[in-house]
mmCIF file of all heavy atoms in Angstrom:
data_model
loop_
_atom_site.group_PDB
_atom_site.id
_atom_site.type_symbol
_atom_site.label_atom_id
_atom_site.label_comp_id
_atom_site.label_asym_id
_atom_site.label_seq_id
_atom_site.Cartn_x
_atom_site.Cartn_y
_atom_site.Cartn_z
ATOM 1 N N ALA A 55 53.778 23.959 61.008
ATOM 2 C CA ALA A 55 53.492 24.255 59.608
ATOM 3 C C ALA A 55 52.374 23.357 59.102
ATOM 4 O O ALA A 55 52.471 22.135 59.186
ATOM 5 C CB ALA A 55 54.742 24.075 58.757
ATOM 6 N N ILE A 56 51.319 23.975 58.592
ATOM 7 C CA ILE A 56 50.210 23.228 58.024
ATOM 8 C C ILE A 56 50.424 23.094 56.516
ATOM 9 O O ILE A 56 50.876 24.028 55.856
ATOM 10 C CB ILE A 56 48.863 23.919 58.337
ATOM 11 C CG1 ILE A 56 47.689 23.039 57.897
ATOM 12 C CG2 ILE A 56 48.791 25.299 57.711
ATOM 13 C CD1 ILE A 56 46.336 23.559 58.375
ATOM 14 N N SER A 57 50.117 21.934 55.973
ATOM 15 C CA SER A 57 50.254 21.698 54.545
ATOM 16 C C SER A 57 49.261 20.629 54.113
ATOM 17 O O SER A 57 48.578 20.031 54.950
ATOM 18 C CB SER A 57 51.689 21.283 54.190
ATOM 19 O OG SER A 57 52.031 20.062 54.817
ATOM 20 N N ARG A 58 49.179 20.394 52.823
ATOM 21 C CA ARG A 58 48.224 19.414 52.309
ATOM 22 C C ARG A 58 48.769 18.746 51.059
ATOM 23 O O ARG A 58 49.604 19.307 50.346
ATOM 24 C CB ARG A 58 46.897 20.097 51.990
ATOM 25 C CG ARG A 58 47.045 21.131 50.889
ATOM 26 C CD ARG A 58 45.860 22.026 50.742
ATOM 27 N NE ARG A 58 46.133 23.044 49.725
ATOM 28 C CZ ARG A 58 45.330 24.012 49.386
ATOM 29 N NH1 ARG A 58 44.147 24.123 49.996
ATOM 30 N NH2 ARG A 58 45.674 24.887 48.451
ATOM 31 N N ASP A 59 48.289 17.548 50.798
ATOM 32 C CA ASP A 59 48.578 16.827 49.570
ATOM 33 C C ASP A 59 47.238 16.630 48.877
ATOM 34 O O ASP A 59 46.450 15.756 49.260
ATOM 35 C CB ASP A 59 49.250 15.486 49.865
ATOM 36 C CG ASP A 59 49.731 14.787 48.607
ATOM 37 O OD1 ASP A 59 49.089 14.923 47.549
ATOM 38 O OD2 ASP A 59 50.760 14.075 48.681
ATOM 39 N N LEU A 60 46.962 17.445 47.871
ATOM 40 C CA LEU A 60 45.669 17.409 47.208
ATOM 41 C C LEU A 60 45.446 16.096 46.457
ATOM 42 O O LEU A 60 44.314 15.626 46.353
ATOM 43 C CB LEU A 60 45.532 18.584 46.240
ATOM 44 C CG LEU A 60 45.541 19.978 46.878
ATOM 45 C CD1 LEU A 60 45.439 21.047 45.807
ATOM 46 C CD2 LEU A 60 44.400 20.121 47.878
ATOM 47 N N ALA A 61 46.513 15.502 45.935
ATOM 48 C CA ALA A 61 46.383 14.253 45.201
ATOM 49 C C ALA A 61 45.993 13.106 46.121
ATOM 50 O O ALA A 61 45.245 12.208 45.733
ATOM 51 C CB ALA A 61 47.682 13.934 44.470
ATOM 52 N N LYS A 62 46.515 13.124 47.345
ATOM 53 C CA LYS A 62 46.251 12.055 48.303
ATOM 54 C C LYS A 62 45.127 12.386 49.274
ATOM 55 O O LYS A 62 44.739 11.533 50.069
ATOM 56 C CB LYS A 62 47.518 11.730 49.089
ATOM 57 C CG LYS A 62 48.651 11.186 48.243
ATOM 58 C CD LYS A 62 49.860 10.863 49.102
ATOM 59 C CE LYS A 62 50.983 10.282 48.282
ATOM 60 N NZ LYS A 62 52.172 9.966 49.112
ATOM 61 N N ASN A 63 44.624 13.617 49.222
ATOM 62 C CA ASN A 63 43.574 14.078 50.139
ATOM 63 C C ASN A 63 43.999 13.932 51.600
ATOM 64 O O ASN A 63 43.267 13.386 52.431
ATOM 65 C CB ASN A 63 42.268 13.329 49.878
ATOM 66 C CG ASN A 63 41.668 13.665 48.536
ATOM 67 O OD1 ASN A 63 41.611 14.834 48.154
ATOM 68 N ND2 ASN A 63 41.216 12.656 47.805
ATOM 69 N N ILE A 64 45.179 14.432 51.889
ATOM 70 C CA ILE A 64 45.721 14.374 53.236
ATOM 71 C C ILE A 64 46.146 15.767 53.685
ATOM 72 O O ILE A 64 46.810 16.489 52.930
ATOM 73 C CB ILE A 64 46.924 13.412 53.333
ATOM 74 C CG1 ILE A 64 46.514 11.994 52.950
ATOM 75 C CG2 ILE A 64 47.495 13.422 54.748
ATOM 76 C CD1 ILE A 64 47.663 11.014 52.934
ATOM 77 N N LEU A 65 45.775 16.126 54.879
ATOM 78 C CA LEU A 65 46.206 17.355 55.534
ATOM 79 C C LEU A 65 47.290 17.001 56.542
ATOM 80 O O LEU A 65 47.187 15.983 57.230
ATOM 81 C CB LEU A 65 45.022 18.008 56.247
ATOM 82 C CG LEU A 65 45.302 19.296 57.010
ATOM 83 C CD1 LEU A 65 45.492 20.458 56.041
ATOM 84 C CD2 LEU A 65 44.175 19.582 57.994
ATOM 85 N N TYR A 66 48.314 17.838 56.638
ATOM 86 C CA TYR A 66 49.427 17.582 57.547
ATOM 87 C C TYR A 66 49.622 18.741 58.523
ATOM 88 O O TYR A 66 49.280 19.885 58.235
ATOM 89 C CB TYR A 66 50.734 17.399 56.779
ATOM 90 C CG TYR A 66 50.746 16.247 55.818
ATOM 91 C CD1 TYR A 66 50.607 16.459 54.454
ATOM 92 C CD2 TYR A 66 50.907 14.938 56.269
ATOM 93 C CE1 TYR A 66 50.635 15.406 53.558
ATOM 94 C CE2 TYR A 66 50.931 13.878 55.377
ATOM 95 C CZ TYR A 66 50.795 14.118 54.031
ATOM 96 O OH TYR A 66 50.821 13.063 53.138
ATOM 97 N N LEU A 67 50.209 18.420 59.659
ATOM 98 C CA LEU A 67 50.690 19.437 60.582
ATOM 99 C C LEU A 67 52.073 19.019 61.051
ATOM 100 O O LEU A 67 52.209 18.057 61.811
ATOM 101 C CB LEU A 67 49.757 19.606 61.781
ATOM 102 C CG LEU A 67 50.168 20.708 62.759
ATOM 103 C CD1 LEU A 67 50.025 22.079 62.103
ATOM 104 C CD2 LEU A 67 49.343 20.643 64.045
ATOM 105 N N GLN A 68 53.095 19.726 60.585
ATOM 106 C CA GLN A 68 54.455 19.502 61.052
ATOM 107 C C GLN A 68 54.644 20.306 62.326
ATOM 108 O O GLN A 68 54.437 21.521 62.334
ATOM 109 C CB GLN A 68 55.472 19.935 59.997
ATOM 110 C CG GLN A 68 56.923 19.758 60.425
ATOM 111 C CD GLN A 68 57.299 18.316 60.632
ATOM 112 O OE1 GLN A 68 57.062 17.481 59.765
ATOM 113 N NE2 GLN A 68 57.868 17.998 61.787
ATOM 114 N N MET A 69 55.040 19.644 63.391
ATOM 115 C CA MET A 69 55.179 20.256 64.697
ATOM 116 C C MET A 69 56.632 20.132 65.141
ATOM 117 O O MET A 69 57.108 19.024 65.376
ATOM 118 C CB MET A 69 54.256 19.588 65.710
ATOM 119 C CG MET A 69 52.811 19.460 65.229
ATOM 120 S SD MET A 69 51.830 18.322 66.244
ATOM 121 C CE MET A 69 51.747 19.232 67.782
ATOM 122 N N ASN A 70 57.326 21.264 65.245
ATOM 123 C CA ASN A 70 58.723 21.282 65.651
ATOM 124 C C ASN A 70 58.892 22.007 66.976
ATOM 125 O O ASN A 70 58.061 22.827 67.353
ATOM 126 C CB ASN A 70 59.584 21.964 64.584
ATOM 127 C CG ASN A 70 59.557 21.251 63.257
ATOM 128 O OD1 ASN A 70 59.542 20.020 63.197
ATOM 129 N ND2 ASN A 70 59.575 22.015 62.162
ATOM 130 N N ASN A 71 59.995 21.723 67.651
ATOM 131 C CA ASN A 71 60.315 22.366 68.929
ATOM 132 C C ASN A 71 59.124 22.325 69.870
ATOM 133 O O ASN A 71 58.681 23.346 70.398
ATOM 134 C CB ASN A 71 60.769 23.805 68.693
ATOM 135 C CG ASN A 71 61.358 24.446 69.932
ATOM 136 O OD1 ASN A 71 61.869 23.754 70.819
ATOM 137 N ND2 ASN A 71 61.277 25.774 70.018
ATOM 138 N N LEU A 72 58.623 21.143 70.100
ATOM 139 C CA LEU A 72 57.435 20.980 70.925
ATOM 140 C C LEU A 72 57.689 21.316 72.383
ATOM 141 O O LEU A 72 58.756 21.029 72.924
ATOM 142 C CB LEU A 72 56.917 19.554 70.808
ATOM 143 C CG LEU A 72 56.216 19.235 69.481
ATOM 144 C CD1 LEU A 72 56.147 17.733 69.259
ATOM 145 C CD2 LEU A 72 54.817 19.846 69.473
ATOM 146 N N PHE A 73 56.698 21.934 73.002
ATOM 147 C CA PHE A 73 56.728 22.271 74.415
ATOM 148 C C PHE A 73 55.757 21.383 75.176
ATOM 149 O O PHE A 73 54.786 20.880 74.598
ATOM 150 C CB PHE A 73 56.293 23.730 74.640
ATOM 151 C CG PHE A 73 57.115 24.761 73.936
ATOM 152 C CD1 PHE A 73 56.542 25.968 73.557
ATOM 153 C CD2 PHE A 73 58.452 24.547 73.657
ATOM 154 C CE1 PHE A 73 57.284 26.940 72.918
ATOM 155 C CE2 PHE A 73 59.213 25.514 73.011
ATOM 156 C CZ PHE A 73 58.623 26.713 72.645
ATOM 157 N N PRO A 74 55.960 21.180 76.472
ATOM 158 C CA PRO A 74 54.953 20.467 77.263
ATOM 159 C C PRO A 74 53.568 21.109 77.144
ATOM 160 O O PRO A 74 52.558 20.402 77.213
ATOM 161 C CB PRO A 74 55.500 20.569 78.689
ATOM 162 C CG PRO A 74 56.977 20.629 78.506
ATOM 163 C CD PRO A 74 57.170 21.468 77.258
ATOM 164 N N GLU A 75 53.524 22.417 76.946
ATOM 165 C CA GLU A 75 52.261 23.135 76.802
ATOM 166 C C GLU A 75 51.527 22.789 75.509
ATOM 167 O O GLU A 75 50.374 23.189 75.334
ATOM 168 C CB GLU A 75 52.489 24.647 76.856
ATOM 169 C CG GLU A 75 53.093 25.144 78.166
ATOM 170 C CD GLU A 75 54.606 24.962 78.206
ATOM 171 O OE1 GLU A 75 55.308 25.656 77.442
ATOM 172 O OE2 GLU A 75 55.080 24.121 78.999
ATOM 173 N N ASP A 76 52.187 22.078 74.598
ATOM 174 C CA ASP A 76 51.548 21.622 73.372
ATOM 175 C C ASP A 76 50.794 20.313 73.572
ATOM 176 O O ASP A 76 50.129 19.837 72.644
ATOM 177 C CB ASP A 76 52.579 21.433 72.258
ATOM 178 C CG ASP A 76 53.230 22.735 71.830
ATOM 179 O OD1 ASP A 76 52.514 23.743 71.674
ATOM 180 O OD2 ASP A 76 54.462 22.742 71.646
ATOM 181 N N THR A 77 50.903 19.721 74.744
ATOM 182 C CA THR A 77 50.202 18.475 75.030
ATOM 183 C C THR A 77 48.700 18.681 74.887
ATOM 184 O O THR A 77 48.121 19.544 75.547
ATOM 185 C CB THR A 77 50.532 17.984 76.439
ATOM 186 O OG1 THR A 77 51.917 17.622 76.509
ATOM 187 C CG2 THR A 77 49.695 16.764 76.804
ATOM 188 N N ALA A 78 48.079 17.895 74.014
ATOM 189 C CA ALA A 78 46.666 18.075 73.727
ATOM 190 C C ALA A 78 46.190 16.976 72.795
ATOM 191 O O ALA A 78 46.990 16.230 72.222
ATOM 192 C CB ALA A 78 46.424 19.439 73.073
ATOM 193 N N VAL A 79 44.881 16.890 72.651
ATOM 194 C CA VAL A 79 44.297 16.124 71.564
ATOM 195 C C VAL A 79 44.199 17.054 70.368
ATOM 196 O O VAL A 79 43.651 18.152 70.474
ATOM 197 C CB VAL A 79 42.907 15.576 71.927
ATOM 198 C CG1 VAL A 79 42.299 14.847 70.731
ATOM 199 C CG2 VAL A 79 43.008 14.637 73.120
ATOM 200 N N TYR A 80 44.739 16.629 69.250
ATOM 201 C CA TYR A 80 44.742 17.434 68.041
ATOM 202 C C TYR A 80 43.705 16.900 67.060
ATOM 203 O O TYR A 80 43.679 15.705 66.760
ATOM 204 C CB TYR A 80 46.125 17.435 67.388
ATOM 205 C CG TYR A 80 47.109 18.322 68.106
ATOM 206 C CD1 TYR A 80 47.642 17.942 69.333
ATOM 207 C CD2 TYR A 80 47.494 19.549 67.572
ATOM 208 C CE1 TYR A 80 48.525 18.757 70.013
ATOM 209 C CE2 TYR A 80 48.381 20.374 68.245
ATOM 210 C CZ TYR A 80 48.891 19.969 69.467
ATOM 211 O OH TYR A 80 49.774 20.787 70.131
ATOM 212 N N TYR A 81 42.854 17.792 66.570
ATOM 213 C CA TYR A 81 41.800 17.455 65.631
ATOM 214 C C TYR A 81 42.042 18.141 64.294
ATOM 215 O O TYR A 81 42.506 19.281 64.244
ATOM 216 C CB TYR A 81 40.443 17.927 66.146
ATOM 217 C CG TYR A 81 40.013 17.339 67.461
ATOM 218 C CD1 TYR A 81 40.388 17.929 68.664
ATOM 219 C CD2 TYR A 81 39.216 16.196 67.505
ATOM 220 C CE1 TYR A 81 39.983 17.400 69.877
ATOM 221 C CE2 TYR A 81 38.810 15.663 68.707
ATOM 222 C CZ TYR A 81 39.191 16.263 69.895
ATOM 223 O OH TYR A 81 38.788 15.742 71.093
ATOM 224 N N CYS A 82 41.703 17.463 63.209
ATOM 225 C CA CYS A 82 41.625 18.151 61.931
ATOM 226 C C CYS A 82 40.173 18.491 61.662
ATOM 227 O O CYS A 82 39.259 17.832 62.160
ATOM 228 C CB CYS A 82 42.222 17.328 60.782
ATOM 229 S SG CYS A 82 41.353 15.804 60.389
ATOM 230 N N ALA A 83 39.959 19.543 60.888
ATOM 231 C CA ALA A 83 38.614 20.007 60.596
ATOM 232 C C ALA A 83 38.583 20.626 59.206
ATOM 233 O O ALA A 83 39.616 21.000 58.657
ATOM 234 C CB ALA A 83 38.163 21.021 61.648
ATOM 235 N N ALA A 84 37.380 20.735 58.663
ATOM 236 C CA ALA A 84 37.222 21.287 57.324
ATOM 237 C C ALA A 84 35.923 22.062 57.216
ATOM 238 O O ALA A 84 34.951 21.766 57.917
ATOM 239 C CB ALA A 84 37.257 20.171 56.278
ATOM 240 N N GLU A 85 35.920 23.041 56.317
ATOM 241 C CA GLU A 85 34.749 23.888 56.082
ATOM 242 C C GLU A 85 34.428 23.910 54.600
ATOM 243 O O GLU A 85 35.280 24.283 53.788
ATOM 244 C CB GLU A 85 35.017 25.309 56.588
ATOM 245 C CG GLU A 85 33.864 26.266 56.342
ATOM 246 C CD GLU A 85 32.612 25.844 57.080
ATOM 247 O OE1 GLU A 85 32.677 25.679 58.312
ATOM 248 O OE2 GLU A 85 31.564 25.659 56.413
ATOM 249 N N GLY A 86 33.213 23.511 54.256
ATOM 250 C CA GLY A 86 32.797 23.502 52.868
ATOM 251 C C GLY A 86 31.658 24.447 52.547
ATOM 252 O O GLY A 86 31.221 24.504 51.394
ATOM 253 N N THR A 87 31.178 25.186 53.538
ATOM 254 C CA THR A 87 30.030 26.066 53.348
ATOM 255 C C THR A 87 30.382 27.538 53.475
ATOM 256 O O THR A 87 30.046 28.333 52.600
ATOM 257 C CB THR A 87 28.922 25.724 54.358
ATOM 258 O OG1 THR A 87 28.525 24.360 54.178
ATOM 259 C CG2 THR A 87 27.719 26.629 54.154
#
């Protein structure tokens, strides 16, 4: 589940029931254009 706190300027990713296949480097990204 992706969510955000606009007051704190923080983006979150809640990750549940993780699988070994979820092993990765996770990046956040943004688009302003």
